[in-house]
Amino acid sequence: MFTRRWFCAAAAGALVPLVPLVAPAQELAYPQRPVRLIVPYAAGGPTDTFARALADTWGRKLGQPLVVENRTGAGTLVGTEAVAKAQPDGYTILLTTVAHAVNPSIHSKMPYRTVEDFAPVGMAAKAPLVIVVNQDFPARNLAEFMDYLKAHPGQVSYGSAGVGSAPHLGTELLNYMTGIQTAHVPYRGSAPAMQDVIGGHVGFMMDSAPTGLAQVKAGSVRLLATTMAQRLPQTPDTPAVAEAVPGYEAYTWNAVFTPAKTPPAVIAKLNATLKQALQDAALQSQAYTMGLVLEKDPEPRALAAFLDGELAKWSQVAKAAKMSVN
């Protein structure tokens, strides 16, 4: 005999298989609203400039706007923590730099775990550095520059955007690999550091290619070298540091991460549309002007392996240079 209780139980049982299907259905429909792209840097800087260009193109490929949100503070820790603790639903993602790999080595306490609290989406671009000097600096080329530094140990100062910034790391890597001694003068950002290079208050600096080359073009400073393994297509007549120091390579990068436990289907959608964005001709033209090298085939697994290598590399450099913000 079929009772009311039997019908209720049967109805409940019929619904059971449908419950786990709700989340995948939502994932397949992702995204259904704008996505926040957290940039842990101030507006107007090179990372922010690229982030906005990428967001514009990527949003069209994704089918929803990517809204850039600048969350600054504590050397990228504030913005990065916001993503680590966000809902893992694909609506809050992070565009970060080499600072992500350096912070564990220069901060005694971290508000998140660099590897475990994030899921990689893909590398977006690599941003080379350029070595620039004041117009009156004695060295006129890379070879003379290296000889001058060796002949004046500890006497030549260099500016950087702050402890743990890409310019700081790049210069300390040069010191580490050559045994050269230079004096670090940290600033609150690359702009004031560059002004003191122009004014002759510090000897040189490594700066991001977009801002450094702009000053070279303006005639404010002289360009001596670039820091990728090969010469840059934007400056083919300028040697790479590796031509004088074999194996040297230093650059910042722009990579995308989501909170850990973001569904694989969502990460796959983000990755597929990121690839499409990076193949866009207009974005490629913008990136070339910025001095960036776009990633040709970003993959989550490749980014995870790359991050492991960066963590190890910069840990050694930070230890040798006694880097710390505490």
Side-chain angles (χ1 to χ4, degrees), residues 152-324:
H152 299 81
Q155 299 176 39
V156 181
S157 60
Y158 73 92
S160 83
V163 175
S165 65
H168 183 204
L169 296 170
T171 309
E172 290 301 335
L173 178 63
L174 183 64
N175 292 344
Y176 179 69
M177 293 182 67
T178 62
I180 287 172
Q181 298 176 34
T182 55
H184 180 216
V185 182
Y187 292 79
R188 290 183 178 273
S190 60
M194 178 61 77
Q195 287 304 310
D196 271 7
V197 174
I198 295 171
H201 303 297
V202 291
F204 72 98
M205 77 173 292
M206 289 189 186
D207 196 16
S208 64
T211 53
L213 293 178
Q215 293 295 339
V216 171
K217 186 176 181 180
S220 304
V221 292
R222 280 189 288 112
L223 174 65
L224 296 185
T226 57
T227 65
M228 297 285 278
Q230 307 295 328
R231 296 189 180 197
L232 298 183
Q234 293 91 338
T235 57
D237 295 328
T238 300
V241 174
E243 294 175 36
V245 185
Y248 179 91
E249 186 173 26
Y251 50 84
T252 188
W253 36 265
N254 300 124
V256 181
F257 294 86
T258 66
K261 299 182 180 180
T262 298
V266 171
I267 293 176
K269 181 68 175 288
L270 286 168
N271 176 260
T273 51
L274 174 62
K275 288 180 181 178
Q276 294 171 9
L278 296 177
Q279 293 167 1
D280 183 86
L283 181 62
Q284 290 177 344
S285 178
Q286 289 176 286
Y288 182 89
T289 302
M290 295 177 197
L292 301 175
V293 179
L294 294 185
E295 190 73 7
K296 293 181 179 179
D297 188 23
E299 289 291 346
R301 188 171 298 177
L303 176 55
F306 174 82
L307 178 60
D308 285 343
E310 289 286 276
L311 286 165
K313 173 181 178 178
W314 297 118
S315 173
Q316 292 179 344
V317 175
K319 183 177 180 179
K322 297 183 171 68
M323 291 185 193
S324 176

Side-chain angles (χ1 to χ4, degrees), residues 7 28 36 38 47 53 63 69 72-73 89 107 109 132 156 159 172 175 187 208 215 231 242 259 273 281 287 322 324:
F7 278 113
L28 291 174
R36 291 193 306 158
I38 303 296
T47 303
E69 183 177 320
T72 63
D89 54 10
H107 290 273
K109 293 180 65 176
V132 297
V156 181
E172 290 301 335
N175 292 344
Y187 292 79
S208 64
Q215 293 295 339
R231 296 189 180 197
T273 51
K322 297 183 171 68
S324 176

Side-chain angles (χ1 to χ4, degrees), residues 24-37:
Q26 291 174 340
E27 292 163 20
L28 291 174
Y30 170 86
Q32 297 178 316
R33 62 179 189 272
V35 174
R36 291 193 306 158
L37 180 62

